[in-house]
Amino acid sequence: MKMGNKEERRMTGAVLWVLVGVMGVGVRGLENGLARTPPMGWLAWQRFRCNTDCVNDPHNCISESLFMQMADIIVNQGYQELGYDIISLDDCWLARNRDSHGRLQADPHRFPSGIAALSDYMHKRGLKFGIYEDYGNFTCAGYPGILGYLQIDAQTFAEWGVDYVKLDGCYSHPVDMDQGYPEFGYYLNKTGRPMVYSCSWPFYQILSHIQPNYTSIINTCNLWRNFDDIQDSWESVQRIIDYYGDNQDEIVPNAGPGHWNDPDMLIIGNFGLSYEQSKSQMAMWAIFAAPLLMSVDLRTIRPEYRAILQNQAVIAVNQDSLGIQGKRIYKDKGIEIWARPITPVTQGHYSYAIAFLNRRTDGTPSEVSVTLRELGLAFPGGYAITDLFDGVHYGTVLPDKRFKVDVNPSGVVLVRCEVIKSIGFGGGRAQFREPPPQRTLRNPFQNQLFNNFRQQRHF
Ligand code: GAL
């Protein structure tokens, strides 16, 4: 299937914005109370794309059986209990035309039971069901879009038992989106059925050099894409990481319970990432407070990649209840340090997840040596540090103690630094547990890279 590039698709939709302008619906925020932590689940696009050839490739085509199989694995292989609970269609589920009443319909050959039945299949297993559509006259792959049918489509989704709606932005004009996305949110809200609302609105506007109105976006969407589609490569993951770091002052404050930046799907377990790079994506998506939407063939994923996706400690960082997105606090010579404030909070001091990310390609691990104070972690009682991938406990580390991590090429070390809770109060002063022996603290002067380490920016 030939798909035009985004710029072409945008231009094709340019004539439609006038139509939207005259509809004149009073718009207000979605206010749906959903997605208090970043959504987690499985999304078809990155791995299965627009494969509609169920005759020659029945195992991998976009069909109801693909989604049912993924749902079964999510339930039976431990994903669901870790929080992955949304199974979502992406593009290419639709028939080429609406039905005689103007309602959307699934491709009858690939979804013979219909969408309501598929949604029911998910609900019976305690899962949520997601759907894909587009705020334009076509989806990106050329299937019917919602423009001109906003109310009827929102109603149809509600009747089908949809829990999550990804609304793309091909074949529409980005200027229209400031009204169009809230308008569809209004209709979703009006159905009375809670549906998580995933938007592509800022991404298309940024692409067209329009400054997104994040105040309106936060009030409308539960999550939104800011940047280009992820592809199956480390290069693509790095571009997303760079975008988030380079634009953090603008985009990080927009994240919070109910409204999240979406750096796109997890590609872990596919073809393009090494084991180290896969851990890096998982760690960075935890730092970003990003939706965890796996797009991988769960039927064939290798156990070591599945273990990354199922790392409970990393998921706990991602799902931290404060919902504060992390920031890049250091970047030099291919080494980055990212910090995300998390719970518990003691006496006004946050705990932190810290990611040491190695972008270097020299064939040996890089040693990074820092003190917590240099990272902005200054609680006098210290922090209990745990490495979230290898499970090593570093014990309690005081702010001025230097500690060291070895970070593999294109890999990451992700640590959780929990502020030590006071165990009692005497004369108004907190007392702290005796720090246990610190087996991994190193000589502060051994480090190669950080002789001139300077703290850059803290929360
Ligand atoms: C893109 C979107 C992808 C996928 C695709 C489907 O615009 O960013 O995530 O949904 O369209 O055609």
Side-chain angles (χ1 to χ4, degrees), residues 279 283 286 307 311-318 342 352-354 385-394 413-417:
K279 288 196 287 185
N311 184 315
Q312 205 164 357
V314 180
I315 292 172
V317 171
N318 175 277
I342 54 173
Y352 282 84
I354 305 282
I385 302 189
T386 310
D387 183 314
L388 301 186
F389 282 109
D390 68 14
V392 168
H393 296 290
Y394 286 68
V413 170
L414 181 67
V415 294
R416 184 180 180 100
C417 306

Side-chain angles (χ1 to χ4, degrees), residues 36-38 256-257 260 316-324 340-343:
R36 305 310 294 170
T37 60
W260 310 102
V317 171
N318 175 277
Q319 295 285 300
D320 186 80
S321 59
L322 294 177
I324 302 173
R340 175 176 175 189
I342 54 173
T343 53

Side-chain angles (χ1 to χ4, degrees), residues 371-418:
T371 67
L372 290 175
R373 193 182 297 283
E374 286 170 330
L375 302 177
L377 280 63
F379 186 59
Y383 298 78
I385 302 189
T386 310
D387 183 314
L388 301 186
F389 282 109
D390 68 14
V392 168
H393 296 290
Y394 286 68
T396 300
V397 178
L398 296 171
D400 291 309
K401 273 280 192 188
R402 191 156 283 277
F403 73 101
K404 181 202 103 130
V405 291
D406 289 317
V407 197
N408 294 339
S410 66
V412 74
V413 170
L414 181 67
V415 294
R416 184 180 180 100
C417 306
E418 276 202 13

